Amino acid sequence: VNKSKVAVGFIVLGVLAVVFGVILAFVGPIIIDDQIVKNTVIDPKNEMSYTMWKDVPVPFFMSVYFFHVLNSKEILKGEKPMVEQRGPYVYRKRIQKENITFHPNNTVSYREYRSYYFEPTMSVGNESDVVTIPNMLVLGASVMLEKLPIHVRMLISIGFKLCKEGPFLTKTVGELMWGYDSKLVDFLNKYLPGMLPSSGKFGLFTEFNNSNTGLFTVHTGKDDIRKVHKVDSWNGLTELSYWRTPQCNMINGTAGQMWPPFMTEESTLPFYSPDACRSLELVYQRSGEMKGIPLFRFVAPKTLFANGSDYAPNEGFCPCRQSGLLNVSSCRHNSPVFISHPHFFNADPVLQDYVQGLSPNEEEHGLFIDIHPQTGVPLNVSIRLQLNLYMKAVAGITETGKISEVVMPMLWFEERGYIDGPILTTFHTNLVVLPAVMEYMQYGLIALGLATIIIAAIVHHRVKRNKRGGGATSEGEARASAEEKDPLLQDDVD
């Protein structure tokens, strides 16, 4: 075997390994990004991502916490409200998109239906538990009627009494959530048409169960992956009419379930929420991991529900009260309803001072979305919001007594979901393991190639040197042998 030629062969193989490793280092990320683009486009051919988008198969729950009123009689005398948090009452949320229609302009329309199923094993009690909260129909209507003539307000007060409705409700959790029979609903619909969304039963979540969030049209990303999931229109609208400025009426971002891929720390998370009647935008907080999968955590900025005085762009959402409240009366039949973070987290401290029993903190009451930055797929979601009622004493309506002006928390809820099970395994394999294998392979090839080149070069050098040394020794031995046989050669040397 010619060792020199073998060494040269190994050097060539080493060079090829290094070249291939370097090429893989440049081409590998491009291949991965190309696969991400292909798999994040909304297309029935993309089986895994399309299924996740269409049916949201991951576990999703809504936890509801009521603020049980402890001193309803004292509140009517003008004293500070005292509340006690009751809950959670947990419901499994099922989400499914229907009427899916693809359009030639690379958009797709759908209606997303949602339904809720009580989970007793995850709850602190049953839907038969009794809770006392402000009567939204009585106290809300009173504020709405405040500017009407006194005789009209007195007539409404008589109507409240005839319907046997007081300023506070003591009902079961199930009744408060999904509706209870109320003559007052029919009465208000007769004298204040348009105030309520329906007739007969009234419940805080009646509109949410077995309903859809409207007709969404979003971009598929087929022509531009940067637009995937972004809302093109909602119920045929490209802008809203609830608010006072064009900026506040904009429909921005996605529908709130997935986002375009290739996020950076400078990225934000905009989405349109029909329930909040506006677009919301979360900001980057930190990076992290979930079961080995890298993530970016996005949270609500303090300016999200700030009033126009503290944050000028929010002026269009006014009339405002203290910072930390979103006035949604314009899209909630003009009822004096406000949305905030639970326990008035990130709100003006005066709101907490008006009510006893609140203790806000970020861990329990802040909302967040953990996103896999490369794909824009949420790994862990926790959206927490609080429903509040603005209430006060209204002359002519005796039910309001001497209630002090206060934004009263009624309940808060958390909608949460996370990727788990087979989907998490597939996600981890395709987006963590395979890219890691490719990365290790490219560095391994480069290291192996360099090692092969170095070792083969050393071997080749030694073979050459031995050949040169071996040749010189042979010439010396031949001359010595000749001298022994012929003394004249020695004489010539002498």
Side-chain angles (χ1 to χ4, degrees), residues 57-59 290-291 293 418-428:
V58 301
M290 175 182 164
K291 297 184 179 178
I293 301 174
Y418 53 90
I419 287 183
D420 201 4
I423 291 178
L424 179 64
T425 303
T426 304
F427 201 88
H428 186 268

Side-chain angles (χ1 to χ4, degrees), residues 198-421:
S198 59
S199 58
K201 288 193 173 187
F202 176 79
L204 296 173
F205 284 83
T206 305
E207 289 183 83
F208 291 81
N209 202 16
N210 300 316
S211 65
N212 68 81
T213 54
L215 180 65
F216 273 97
T217 301
V218 303
H219 292 273
T220 63
K222 196 171 184 179
D223 57 334
D224 184 354
I225 198 62
R226 293 171 298 180
K227 297 195 297 185
V228 67
H229 301 297
K230 288 189 176 180
V231 178
D232 182 62
S233 67
W234 176 73
N235 283 340
L237 303 171
T238 55
E239 60 181 24
L240 306 171
S241 58
Y242 302 131
W243 312 109
R244 295 167 50 188
T245 63
Q247 181 179 352
C248 292
N249 276 319
M250 291 174 67
I251 298 177
N252 295 325
T254 71
Q257 290 176 349
M258 293 184 184
W259 282 265
F262 312 124
M263 291 184 173
T264 67
E265 294 179 6
E266 285 70 43
S267 300
T268 59
L269 231 57
F271 61 99
Y272 173 65
S273 169
D275 297 330
C277 310
R278 58 166 283 193
S279 296
L280 305 171
E281 188 169 37
L282 308 188
V283 296
Y284 173 86
Q285 184 192 55
R286 62 174 176 82
S287 59
E289 279 192 358
M290 175 182 164
K291 297 184 179 178
I293 301 174
L295 61 83
F296 283 175
R297 171 159 290 190
F298 290 84
V299 298
K302 290 186 177 181
T303 56
L304 186 65
F305 295 142
N307 62 21
S309 301
D310 290 344
Y311 185 62
N314 282 354
E315 181 65 37
F317 295 121
C318 293
C320 299
R321 299 192 63 78
Q322 296 87 349
S323 271
L325 297 171
L326 174 66
N327 186 345
V328 293
S329 59
S330 58
C331 67
R332 287 289 180 267
H333 314 285
N334 292 316
S335 57
V337 176
F338 291 81
I339 288 175
S340 69
H341 295 302
H343 288 244
F344 296 127
F345 171 68
N346 267 352
D348 189 324
V350 74
L351 293 168
Q352 302 164 31
D353 294 338
Y354 287 156
V355 181
Q356 287 184 301
L358 304 180
S359 53
N361 65 80
E362 182 174 8
E363 184 178 347
E364 293 181 83
H365 306 129
L367 64 82
F368 67 85
I369 298 178
D370 291 338
I371 295 281
H372 181 249
Q374 269 191 298
T375 60
V377 173
L379 303 174
N380 190 19
V381 176
S382 179
I383 302 297
R384 298 159 174 162
L385 294 172
Q386 180 170 297
L387 184 67
N388 309 282
L389 180 68
Y390 172 60
M391 60 187 202
K392 61 186 292 190
V394 177
I397 302 180
T398 58
E399 282 72 18
T400 62
K402 297 179 180 179
I403 294 176
S404 298
E405 188 176 344
V406 64
V407 178
M408 183 73 175
M410 299 178 68
L411 62 84
W412 71 271
F413 62 93
E414 174 190 30
E415 291 202 321
R416 70 186 191 277
Y418 53 90
I419 287 183
D420 201 4

Side-chain angles (χ1 to χ4, degrees), residues 416-479:
R416 70 186 191 277
Y418 53 90
I419 287 183
D420 201 4
I423 291 178
L424 179 64
T425 303
T426 304
F427 201 88
H428 186 268
T429 301
N430 292 343
L431 297 170
V432 177
V433 175
L434 292 181
V437 168
M438 190 172 289
E439 185 177 0
Y440 292 141
M441 188 182 296
Q442 70 197 28
Y443 292 130
L445 285 170
I446 293 172
L448 180 63
L450 290 173
T452 303
I453 291 170
I454 293 168
I455 294 170
I458 292 171
V459 171
H460 183 264
H461 175 71
R462 286 180 176 176
V463 169
K464 285 290 186 183
R465 189 180 63 185
N466 288 341
K467 280 186 178 180
R468 285 196 300 271
T473 301
S474 297
E475 287 180 13
E477 289 175 350
R479 187 173 183 82

Side-chain angles (χ1 to χ4, degrees), residues 138-182:
V138 171
L139 298 178
S142 298
V143 172
M144 292 169 65
L145 300 169
E146 185 181 16
K147 294 182 180 179
L148 291 180
I150 186 70
H151 66 274
V152 176
R153 281 178 267 152
M154 293 175 68
L155 178 64
I156 294 295
S157 183
I158 293 171
F160 289 157
K161 292 177 176 62
L162 290 174
C163 295
K164 297 181 181 179
E165 293 279 358
F168 291 91
L169 277 176
T170 300
K171 297 283 185 182
T172 67
V173 168
E175 288 174 321
L176 293 174
M177 287 289 295
W178 311 119
Y180 57 91
D181 292 317
S182 172

Side-chain angles (χ1 to χ4, degrees), residues 43-48 50:
D43 189 335
K45 294 176 185 176
N46 299 332
E47 189 173 345
M48 185 181 81
Y50 184 75

